[in-house]
Amino acid sequence: MKRVLIVDDSAVMRGAIAQVLRAQGYEIAGEAGDADKALALYGSLRPDLVTMDIVMPSPSGDLDPETAGLEAVRRIRKSDPKARIIVISAMTQKDFMTEAIRAGARDFVAKPFNPMRLREALARAEEPF
């Protein structure tokens, strides 16, 4: 069973994502409500997949809250070039989508998300590099 780390500052959104993932046979390895916790959990859990929001807090102040998720994607991919990450965000301007892919995300899903679109992104994330 594939293990997933869900990262979003909204507990409601984490629950909605988890519901879709569980229905697809994924195990929820962990959840994070901020970028700092996401980075720490990725290092300790080493999940098969990460879903990542863009705008979220960084309690350490190390990351800009407007783009903390993008920087977390970069740092995760730097530490693990084979990390599989799907960005799920309401920041749907083309610049953010492009930057997410450049940072190393396998796909970008716009919020509010359609469960079918998330399933498509999951399938794309499973494809070989």
Side-chain angles (χ1 to χ4, degrees), residues 7-36:
V7 184
D8 197 294
D9 59 329
S10 166
V12 171
M13 186 57 62
R14 290 193 309 268
I17 294 167
Q19 185 176 14
V20 173
L21 292 170
R22 284 188 185 106
Q24 292 299 117
Y26 289 85
E27 173 189 343
I28 308 308
E31 295 184 17
D34 65 69
D36 298 335

PDB file of all heavy atoms in Angstrom, residues 7-36:
ATOM      1  N   VAL A   7      -0.225  17.649   3.079  1.00  0.00           N
ATOM      2  CA  VAL A   7       0.204  18.930   3.631  1.00  0.00           C
ATOM      3  C   VAL A   7      -0.758  20.028   3.181  1.00  0.00           C
ATOM      4  O   VAL A   7      -0.860  20.317   1.998  1.00  0.00           O
ATOM      5  CB  VAL A   7       1.643  19.279   3.185  1.00  0.00           C
ATOM      6  CG1 VAL A   7       2.100  20.569   3.858  1.00  0.00           C
ATOM      7  CG2 VAL A   7       2.606  18.134   3.476  1.00  0.00           C
ATOM      8  N   ASP A   8      -1.468  20.600   4.146  1.00  0.00           N
ATOM      9  CA  ASP A   8      -2.393  21.701   3.876  1.00  0.00           C
ATOM     10  C   ASP A   8      -2.706  22.354   5.213  1.00  0.00           C
ATOM     11  O   ASP A   8      -2.855  21.653   6.218  1.00  0.00           O
ATOM     12  CB  ASP A   8      -3.677  21.184   3.214  1.00  0.00           C
ATOM     13  CG  ASP A   8      -4.462  22.286   2.542  1.00  0.00           C
ATOM     14  OD1 ASP A   8      -4.976  23.175   3.271  1.00  0.00           O
ATOM     15  OD2 ASP A   8      -4.568  22.265   1.314  1.00  0.00           O
ATOM     16  N   ASP A   9      -2.803  23.677   5.240  1.00  0.00           N
ATOM     17  CA  ASP A   9      -3.092  24.348   6.505  1.00  0.00           C
ATOM     18  C   ASP A   9      -4.549  24.220   6.923  1.00  0.00           C
ATOM     19  O   ASP A   9      -4.896  24.540   8.052  1.00  0.00           O
ATOM     20  CB  ASP A   9      -2.656  25.814   6.471  1.00  0.00           C
ATOM     21  CG  ASP A   9      -3.322  26.614   5.372  1.00  0.00           C
ATOM     22  OD1 ASP A   9      -3.640  26.045   4.310  1.00  0.00           O
ATOM     23  OD2 ASP A   9      -3.513  27.830   5.562  1.00  0.00           O
ATOM     24  N   SER A  10      -5.404  23.698   6.059  1.00  0.00           N
ATOM     25  CA  SER A  10      -6.813  23.496   6.382  1.00  0.00           C
ATOM     26  C   SER A  10      -7.072  22.031   6.736  1.00  0.00           C
ATOM     27  O   SER A  10      -6.899  21.141   5.893  1.00  0.00           O
ATOM     28  CB  SER A  10      -7.690  23.888   5.184  1.00  0.00           C
ATOM     29  OG  SER A  10      -9.002  23.394   5.361  1.00  0.00           O
ATOM     30  N   ALA A  11      -7.525  21.808   7.972  1.00  0.00           N
ATOM     31  CA  ALA A  11      -7.848  20.444   8.396  1.00  0.00           C
ATOM     32  C   ALA A  11      -8.979  19.866   7.547  1.00  0.00           C
ATOM     33  O   ALA A  11      -8.983  18.668   7.236  1.00  0.00           O
ATOM     34  CB  ALA A  11      -8.221  20.417   9.874  1.00  0.00           C
ATOM     35  N   VAL A  12      -9.924  20.698   7.155  1.00  0.00           N
ATOM     36  CA  VAL A  12     -11.041  20.245   6.312  1.00  0.00           C
ATOM     37  C   VAL A  12     -10.503  19.762   4.957  1.00  0.00           C
ATOM     38  O   VAL A  12     -10.906  18.711   4.458  1.00  0.00           O
ATOM     39  CB  VAL A  12     -12.084  21.368   6.132  1.00  0.00           C
ATOM     40  CG1 VAL A  12     -13.123  20.986   5.092  1.00  0.00           C
ATOM     41  CG2 VAL A  12     -12.748  21.704   7.461  1.00  0.00           C
ATOM     42  N   MET A  13      -9.588  20.525   4.373  1.00  0.00           N
ATOM     43  CA  MET A  13      -9.016  20.128   3.084  1.00  0.00           C
ATOM     44  C   MET A  13      -8.190  18.852   3.235  1.00  0.00           C
ATOM     45  O   MET A  13      -8.256  17.971   2.376  1.00  0.00           O
ATOM     46  CB  MET A  13      -8.158  21.268   2.515  1.00  0.00           C
ATOM     47  CG  MET A  13      -7.647  21.001   1.122  1.00  0.00           C
ATOM     48  SD  MET A  13      -8.914  20.655  -0.129  1.00  0.00           S
ATOM     49  CE  MET A  13      -9.827  22.161  -0.139  1.00  0.00           C
ATOM     50  N   ARG A  14      -7.417  18.737   4.311  1.00  0.00           N
ATOM     51  CA  ARG A  14      -6.650  17.506   4.533  1.00  0.00           C
ATOM     52  C   ARG A  14      -7.594  16.311   4.605  1.00  0.00           C
ATOM     53  O   ARG A  14      -7.317  15.245   4.045  1.00  0.00           O
ATOM     54  CB  ARG A  14      -5.806  17.600   5.802  1.00  0.00           C
ATOM     55  CG  ARG A  14      -4.644  18.559   5.682  1.00  0.00           C
ATOM     56  CD  ARG A  14      -3.622  18.422   6.804  1.00  0.00           C
ATOM     57  NE  ARG A  14      -4.167  18.459   8.143  1.00  0.00           N
ATOM     58  CZ  ARG A  14      -4.297  19.550   8.890  1.00  0.00           C
ATOM     59  NH1 ARG A  14      -3.915  20.730   8.420  1.00  0.00           N
ATOM     60  NH2 ARG A  14      -4.786  19.478  10.123  1.00  0.00           N
ATOM     61  N   GLY A  15      -8.739  16.487   5.253  1.00  0.00           N
ATOM     62  CA  GLY A  15      -9.724  15.410   5.353  1.00  0.00           C
ATOM     63  C   GLY A  15     -10.312  15.039   4.005  1.00  0.00           C
ATOM     64  O   GLY A  15     -10.490  13.859   3.690  1.00  0.00           O
ATOM     65  N   ALA A  16     -10.614  16.041   3.176  1.00  0.00           N
ATOM     66  CA  ALA A  16     -11.173  15.782   1.845  1.00  0.00           C
ATOM     67  C   ALA A  16     -10.158  15.051   0.961  1.00  0.00           C
ATOM     68  O   ALA A  16     -10.514  14.111   0.238  1.00  0.00           O
ATOM     69  CB  ALA A  16     -11.601  17.091   1.190  1.00  0.00           C
ATOM     70  N   ILE A  17      -8.906  15.473   1.027  1.00  0.00           N
ATOM     71  CA  ILE A  17      -7.854  14.808   0.253  1.00  0.00           C
ATOM     72  C   ILE A  17      -7.681  13.374   0.748  1.00  0.00           C
ATOM     73  O   ILE A  17      -7.591  12.435  -0.053  1.00  0.00           O
ATOM     74  CB  ILE A  17      -6.535  15.598   0.337  1.00  0.00           C
ATOM     75  CG1 ILE A  17      -6.688  16.959  -0.354  1.00  0.00           C
ATOM     76  CG2 ILE A  17      -5.379  14.797  -0.266  1.00  0.00           C
ATOM     77  CD1 ILE A  17      -5.560  17.934  -0.069  1.00  0.00           C
ATOM     78  N   ALA A  18      -7.661  13.196   2.063  1.00  0.00           N
ATOM     79  CA  ALA A  18      -7.492  11.863   2.638  1.00  0.00           C
ATOM     80  C   ALA A  18      -8.611  10.922   2.202  1.00  0.00           C
ATOM     81  O   ALA A  18      -8.367   9.737   1.917  1.00  0.00           O
ATOM     82  CB  ALA A  18      -7.441  11.948   4.169  1.00  0.00           C
ATOM     83  N   GLN A  19      -9.818  11.436   2.138  1.00  0.00           N
ATOM     84  CA  GLN A  19     -10.956  10.614   1.732  1.00  0.00           C
ATOM     85  C   GLN A  19     -10.753  10.057   0.315  1.00  0.00           C
ATOM     86  O   GLN A  19     -10.969   8.877   0.064  1.00  0.00           O
ATOM     87  CB  GLN A  19     -12.237  11.437   1.812  1.00  0.00           C
ATOM     88  CG  GLN A  19     -13.488  10.646   1.527  1.00  0.00           C
ATOM     89  CD  GLN A  19     -14.740  11.509   1.711  1.00  0.00           C
ATOM     90  OE1 GLN A  19     -14.690  12.726   1.794  1.00  0.00           O
ATOM     91  NE2 GLN A  19     -15.878  10.856   1.777  1.00  0.00           N
ATOM     92  N   VAL A  20     -10.321  10.914  -0.601  1.00  0.00           N
ATOM     93  CA  VAL A  20     -10.075  10.473  -1.983  1.00  0.00           C
ATOM     94  C   VAL A  20      -8.916   9.473  -2.015  1.00  0.00           C
ATOM     95  O   VAL A  20      -8.987   8.441  -2.684  1.00  0.00           O
ATOM     96  CB  VAL A  20      -9.786  11.671  -2.908  1.00  0.00           C
ATOM     97  CG1 VAL A  20      -9.353  11.213  -4.298  1.00  0.00           C
ATOM     98  CG2 VAL A  20     -11.012  12.573  -3.007  1.00  0.00           C
ATOM     99  N   LEU A  21      -7.851   9.786  -1.285  1.00  0.00           N
ATOM    100  CA  LEU A  21      -6.683   8.907  -1.282  1.00  0.00           C
ATOM    101  C   LEU A  21      -7.018   7.523  -0.727  1.00  0.00           C
ATOM    102  O   LEU A  21      -6.618   6.504  -1.308  1.00  0.00           O
ATOM    103  CB  LEU A  21      -5.550   9.537  -0.477  1.00  0.00           C
ATOM    104  CG  LEU A  21      -4.923  10.788  -1.091  1.00  0.00           C
ATOM    105  CD1 LEU A  21      -3.989  11.458  -0.104  1.00  0.00           C
ATOM    106  CD2 LEU A  21      -4.194  10.454  -2.369  1.00  0.00           C
ATOM    107  N   ARG A  22      -7.731   7.488   0.383  1.00  0.00           N
ATOM    108  CA  ARG A  22      -8.107   6.184   0.969  1.00  0.00           C
ATOM    109  C   ARG A  22      -8.959   5.367   0.000  1.00  0.00           C
ATOM    110  O   ARG A  22      -8.789   4.165  -0.118  1.00  0.00           O
ATOM    111  CB  ARG A  22      -8.837   6.389   2.285  1.00  0.00           C
ATOM    112  CG  ARG A  22      -7.917   6.767   3.423  1.00  0.00           C
ATOM    113  CD  ARG A  22      -8.650   6.763   4.773  1.00  0.00           C
ATOM    114  NE  ARG A  22      -7.771   7.235   5.811  1.00  0.00           N
ATOM    115  CZ  ARG A  22      -7.854   8.432   6.394  1.00  0.00           C
ATOM    116  NH1 ARG A  22      -8.808   9.284   6.048  1.00  0.00           N
ATOM    117  NH2 ARG A  22      -6.999   8.777   7.326  1.00  0.00           N
ATOM    118  N   ALA A  23      -9.881   6.036  -0.690  1.00  0.00           N
ATOM    119  CA  ALA A  23     -10.736   5.351  -1.664  1.00  0.00           C
ATOM    120  C   ALA A  23      -9.917   4.766  -2.809  1.00  0.00           C
ATOM    121  O   ALA A  23     -10.333   3.793  -3.443  1.00  0.00           O
ATOM    122  CB  ALA A  23     -11.798   6.304  -2.209  1.00  0.00           C
ATOM    123  N   GLN A  24      -8.734   5.348  -3.057  1.00  0.00           N
ATOM    124  CA  GLN A  24      -7.842   4.858  -4.113  1.00  0.00           C
ATOM    125  C   GLN A  24      -6.840   3.825  -3.573  1.00  0.00           C
ATOM    126  O   GLN A  24      -5.959   3.395  -4.302  1.00  0.00           O
ATOM    127  CB  GLN A  24      -7.083   6.026  -4.745  1.00  0.00           C
ATOM    128  CG  GLN A  24      -7.958   6.960  -5.544  1.00  0.00           C
ATOM    129  CD  GLN A  24      -8.635   6.253  -6.706  1.00  0.00           C
ATOM    130  OE1 GLN A  24      -9.849   6.173  -6.752  1.00  0.00           O
ATOM    131  NE2 GLN A  24      -7.871   5.738  -7.638  1.00  0.00           N
ATOM    132  N   GLY A  25      -6.958   3.489  -2.288  1.00  0.00           N
ATOM    133  CA  GLY A  25      -6.099   2.461  -1.713  1.00  0.00           C
ATOM    134  C   GLY A  25      -4.816   2.960  -1.074  1.00  0.00           C
ATOM    135  O   GLY A  25      -3.932   2.167  -0.753  1.00  0.00           O
ATOM    136  N   TYR A  26      -4.698   4.273  -0.879  1.00  0.00           N
ATOM    137  CA  TYR A  26      -3.511   4.830  -0.239  1.00  0.00           C
ATOM    138  C   TYR A  26      -3.658   4.823   1.277  1.00  0.00           C
ATOM    139  O   TYR A  26      -4.762   4.961   1.799  1.00  0.00           O
ATOM    140  CB  TYR A  26      -3.271   6.267  -0.703  1.00  0.00           C
ATOM    141  CG  TYR A  26      -2.805   6.384  -2.126  1.00  0.00           C
ATOM    142  CD1 TYR A  26      -3.725   6.406  -3.173  1.00  0.00           C
ATOM    143  CD2 TYR A  26      -1.454   6.483  -2.432  1.00  0.00           C
ATOM    144  CE1 TYR A  26      -3.298   6.522  -4.492  1.00  0.00           C
ATOM    145  CE2 TYR A  26      -1.032   6.592  -3.750  1.00  0.00           C
ATOM    146  CZ  TYR A  26      -1.955   6.610  -4.769  1.00  0.00           C
ATOM    147  OH  TYR A  26      -1.547   6.716  -6.072  1.00  0.00           O
ATOM    148  N   GLU A  27      -2.550   4.707   1.965  1.00  0.00           N
ATOM    149  CA  GLU A  27      -2.500   4.831   3.418  1.00  0.00           C
ATOM    150  C   GLU A  27      -2.020   6.239   3.749  1.00  0.00           C
ATOM    151  O   GLU A  27      -1.059   6.722   3.135  1.00  0.00           O
ATOM    152  CB  GLU A  27      -1.510   3.816   3.993  1.00  0.00           C
ATOM    153  CG  GLU A  27      -1.248   3.977   5.471  1.00  0.00           C
ATOM    154  CD  GLU A  27      -0.101   3.108   5.966  1.00  0.00           C
ATOM    155  OE1 GLU A  27       0.285   2.162   5.261  1.00  0.00           O
ATOM    156  OE2 GLU A  27       0.404   3.402   7.056  1.00  0.00           O
ATOM    157  N   ILE A  28      -2.663   6.898   4.698  1.00  0.00           N
ATOM    158  CA  ILE A  28      -2.233   8.233   5.113  1.00  0.00           C
ATOM    159  C   ILE A  28      -1.129   8.048   6.150  1.00  0.00           C
ATOM    160  O   ILE A  28      -1.375   7.633   7.276  1.00  0.00           O
ATOM    161  CB  ILE A  28      -3.404   9.061   5.687  1.00  0.00           C
ATOM    162  CG1 ILE A  28      -4.596   9.072   4.720  1.00  0.00           C
ATOM    163  CG2 ILE A  28      -2.933  10.478   6.018  1.00  0.00           C
ATOM    164  CD1 ILE A  28      -4.289   9.474   3.300  1.00  0.00           C
ATOM    165  N   ALA A  29       0.104   8.340   5.745  1.00  0.00           N
ATOM    166  CA  ALA A  29       1.264   8.164   6.627  1.00  0.00           C
ATOM    167  C   ALA A  29       1.352   9.294   7.641  1.00  0.00           C
ATOM    168  O   ALA A  29       1.853   9.103   8.746  1.00  0.00           O
ATOM    169  CB  ALA A  29       2.542   8.104   5.806  1.00  0.00           C
ATOM    170  N   GLY A  30       0.879  10.484   7.249  1.00  0.00           N
ATOM    171  CA  GLY A  30       0.937  11.628   8.143  1.00  0.00           C
ATOM    172  C   GLY A  30       0.274  12.832   7.518  1.00  0.00           C
ATOM    173  O   GLY A  30      -0.036  12.842   6.323  1.00  0.00           O
ATOM    174  N   GLU A  31       0.059  13.848   8.355  1.00  0.00           N
ATOM    175  CA  GLU A  31      -0.532  15.107   7.919  1.00  0.00           C
ATOM    176  C   GLU A  31       0.250  16.249   8.541  1.00  0.00           C
ATOM    177  O   GLU A  31       0.718  16.142   9.668  1.00  0.00           O
ATOM    178  CB  GLU A  31      -1.994  15.217   8.357  1.00  0.00           C
ATOM    179  CG  GLU A  31      -2.917  14.217   7.721  1.00  0.00           C
ATOM    180  CD  GLU A  31      -4.372  14.431   8.109  1.00  0.00           C
ATOM    181  OE1 GLU A  31      -4.721  15.527   8.609  1.00  0.00           O
ATOM    182  OE2 GLU A  31      -5.164  13.500   7.903  1.00  0.00           O
ATOM    183  N   ALA A  32       0.360  17.339   7.790  1.00  0.00           N
ATOM    184  CA  ALA A  32       1.030  18.533   8.289  1.00  0.00           C
ATOM    185  C   ALA A  32       0.206  19.748   7.920  1.00  0.00           C
ATOM    186  O   ALA A  32      -0.324  19.829   6.816  1.00  0.00           O
ATOM    187  CB  ALA A  32       2.432  18.646   7.693  1.00  0.00           C
ATOM    188  N   GLY A  33       0.122  20.691   8.850  1.00  0.00           N
ATOM    189  CA  GLY A  33      -0.620  21.919   8.622  1.00  0.00           C
ATOM    190  C   GLY A  33       0.261  23.102   8.313  1.00  0.00           C
ATOM    191  O   GLY A  33      -0.215  24.213   8.139  1.00  0.00           O
ATOM    192  N   ASP A  34       1.586  22.876   8.257  1.00  0.00           N
ATOM    193  CA  ASP A  34       2.505  23.954   7.903  1.00  0.00           C
ATOM    194  C   ASP A  34       3.736  23.368   7.212  1.00  0.00           C
ATOM    195  O   ASP A  34       3.987  22.158   7.266  1.00  0.00           O
ATOM    196  CB  ASP A  34       2.888  24.792   9.136  1.00  0.00           C
ATOM    197  CG  ASP A  34       3.672  24.011  10.178  1.00  0.00           C
ATOM    198  OD1 ASP A  34       4.837  23.652   9.898  1.00  0.00           O
ATOM    199  OD2 ASP A  34       3.135  23.783  11.277  1.00  0.00           O
ATOM    200  N   ALA A  35       4.477  24.231   6.553  1.00  0.00           N
ATOM    201  CA  ALA A  35       5.618  23.791   5.747  1.00  0.00           C
ATOM    202  C   ALA A  35       6.743  23.205   6.598  1.00  0.00           C
ATOM    203  O   ALA A  35       7.389  22.239   6.187  1.00  0.00           O
ATOM    204  CB  ALA A  35       6.142  24.955   4.911  1.00  0.00           C
ATOM    205  N   ASP A  36       6.981  23.771   7.773  1.00  0.00           N
ATOM    206  CA  ASP A  36       8.062  23.272   8.626  1.00  0.00           C
ATOM    207  C   ASP A  36       7.797  21.826   9.047  1.00  0.00           C
ATOM    208  O   ASP A  36       8.686  20.969   8.976  1.00  0.00           O
ATOM    209  CB  ASP A  36       8.217  24.153   9.871  1.00  0.00           C
ATOM    210  CG  ASP A  36       8.583  25.586   9.531  1.00  0.00           C
ATOM    211  OD1 ASP A  36       9.176  25.830   8.456  1.00  0.00           O
ATOM    212  OD2 ASP A  36       8.267  26.475  10.339  1.00  0.00           O
TER     213      ASP A  36
END
